[in-house]
Amino acid sequence: MPAALPDDTRPTLAQVARIAGVSEITASRAMRGTTLVAQDTLARVQAAAQALNYVPNRLAGTLAGGQSRQVAVVLPSLSNSVFADVLKGLETRLEQDGYHVILGVSNYDPAHEERLITELLTWRPAGLVLAPAESTPGSRRMLAASGLPVVEIMDIDRAPVDVAVGLSQRAAGQDMARFLLQRGYRRMAYLGHDISVDPRARARRDGFCAALAEAGLTLEAMLLLPGPSSVGLGRKGTAQLLDRLSVGGLAVCYSNDDMAVGGMFHAMAQGLLVPADLALAGFNGLSIGQALPQPLTTIESRRVLIGEQAASCVLNRLHGLAIDPVQNVGFRLIPGATA
Amino acid sequence: MPAALPDDTRPTLAQVARIAGVSEITASRAMRGTTLVAQDTLARVQAAAQALNYVPNRLAGTLAGGQSRQVAVVLPSLSNSVFADVLKGLETRLEQDGYHVILGVSNYDPAHEERLITELLTWRPAGLVLAPAESTPGSRRMLAASGLPVVEIMDIDRAPVDVAVGLSQRAAGQDMARFLLQRGYRRMAYLGHDISVDPRARARRDGFCAALAEAGLTLEAMLLLPGPSSVGLGRKGTAQLLDRLSVGGLAVCYSNDDMAVGGMFHAMAQGLLVPADLALAGFNGLSIGQALPQPLTTIESRRVLIGEQAASCVLNRLHGLAIDPVQNVGFRLIPGATA
DNA sequence: AGCCATATTGACAGCGCTGTCATGATTTGC
DNA sequence: GCAAATCATGACAGCGCTGTCAATATGGCT
């Protein structure tokens, strides 16, 4: 059952070579510019390629030659703009060097993630970048055995298989707690999406709680809602939370900015005073939070940078350069006006 | 200069075959399950593959066999959640059939887009999906000549090279104008991001203006700000607009929801009454707009669906099924409470 | 027993390209 | 003017896999 469509009649290098009156290998060299080829030979080959509308076949090239110029990227989600930003950084940097992204989205499912890794590996990518969900032992074994550059992004708290690029999510959580404490808040609550599948959000929350504990405090309430984070969920959750808790000097730490913006909307709709009645803190430093009537108190994460730096790691590795196995891009607390 | 890293010592099908005590081609058949292979042979091959940790090489497979299972996707941006949604739909659907996305992001630059198409074509993808910026003649020629399934997404107003999946952006703009007119608004303004590079936003605006013209109206003001759309830009632009225009019965049509939400934030910060002082209309039906204290008047676009359907188009084409060259997924006006 | 359909396997060539080594054509140096 | 170095090109084999066709084995049927 041969494919219905393309009668794959695309010109090959051999045809280009014939027209240019040179051998195939010379044409190959002319097209790639790796080895020296006489000026006029080069011109003839280029002309022939142009005339035939020749498009090189990188499958064949890679198979014969070696390094693929594809990098596999596995992300847990795309609905969250965080990963879209990271992907943008990755794509931008990789493309500069003529590399391309093959994408997999795991939906925060470790088993799915493992399957994706297996499948993407069949394309023999030059490297792998992933924001692991809760990677299975199987995944980690495969990655280690692949012999490829493997960059785990977003979090640097766990020991990486190979290289990690990101920030300490735990430290970010701690810093936010300390900031709120320093501002004088003593009544704290946490509102998150389903962090059982999101290890980074969990790490932040754990850091937040740990810092509270150091100060002898505990959360007045912790609400975890099923489903992915969203503005709507944050709004709904805030309403629920305030059914149980009195306002006035209450600070709510959200799992991220989306959720926090939802909280802000709830406050606005209810005519609550922010931060007097209700203080809010997010995470990510999304532009929407900063465009709110009151800028959101949050932590800036450098998502595009993480993507770019992860890409650079892969590329440097491929060029045989030594690289730091743990790369901390840091974060920055944005005081804002909601806490 | 051989690659520094992977001493590509990965097991090959030949090795699997040897261990299983069968010929290479039999092992191939066993791995793929296309042709019948005796039960115990199958088991032996699978065991051997398992033991060696065999990972098939799809580069070789595709080169030898035919159809690649990669689909090239070219998008103008990832910062806009619209395209992240589309990509999610694409990835989800393609993966179900064992296909993978190779990604390119053009940043709304037609020349860049053309280069991306050229490069991605070198991987001999099975198909192409793109949300064209302002495609160059060169791009269109290449696409037509590729002989591959080519799906242009988002807009169905222009004649597609091959297949189009999306909605009539122009009709969406018209519908919004008619809706506002019907609500009794007569004072209209338009606030957009740099639509010179975004043909879809432009089509919506044109439709909007055309419908106004039918009613004998023209825009009181049209403000186009440089740079990509964002909540911040919408907020800033609204402030600028209201420097020149009086409020009270004024309806502003924004290029999309991000911009409109920014407008809403400005209104909130200024204590303006929405919609009495200022009415706002967006486009996309993003969840954030619906979570606002007052849900945004907007038009729902089915982004994930567009992605899924575009993927299905490619797959169906590859299976030799006939498909409709123009697929309208439609849209829905969400009345909201801001106009 | 003899013949045929079916099931199972294999030999061979080739997908389009590149690494390696070898060859001929020039140039350079003394 | 001749050996050595340099430049430009080519022949060959092979990357890892699959399509095609052919071969063998097995069982059923008359």
Side-chain angles (χ1 to χ4, degrees), chain A residues 12-34:
Chain A
T12 68
L13 190 57
Q15 299 181 34
V16 172
R18 187 142 34 78
I19 294 203
V22 297
S23 74
E24 203 174 336
I25 184 66
T26 300
S28 168
R29 289 195 269 249
M31 294 304 297
R32 289 179 295 163
T34 47

Side-chain angles (χ1 to χ4, degrees), chain B residues 33-59:
Chain B
T34 47
T35 320
L36 253 21
V37 166
Q39 273 301 320
D40 63 324
T41 311
L42 179 61
R44 283 212 317 284
V45 173
Q46 283 175 339
Q50 183 94 48
L52 285 181
N53 242 296
Y54 172 68
V55 176
N57 184 334
R58 287 222 213 179
L59 296 178

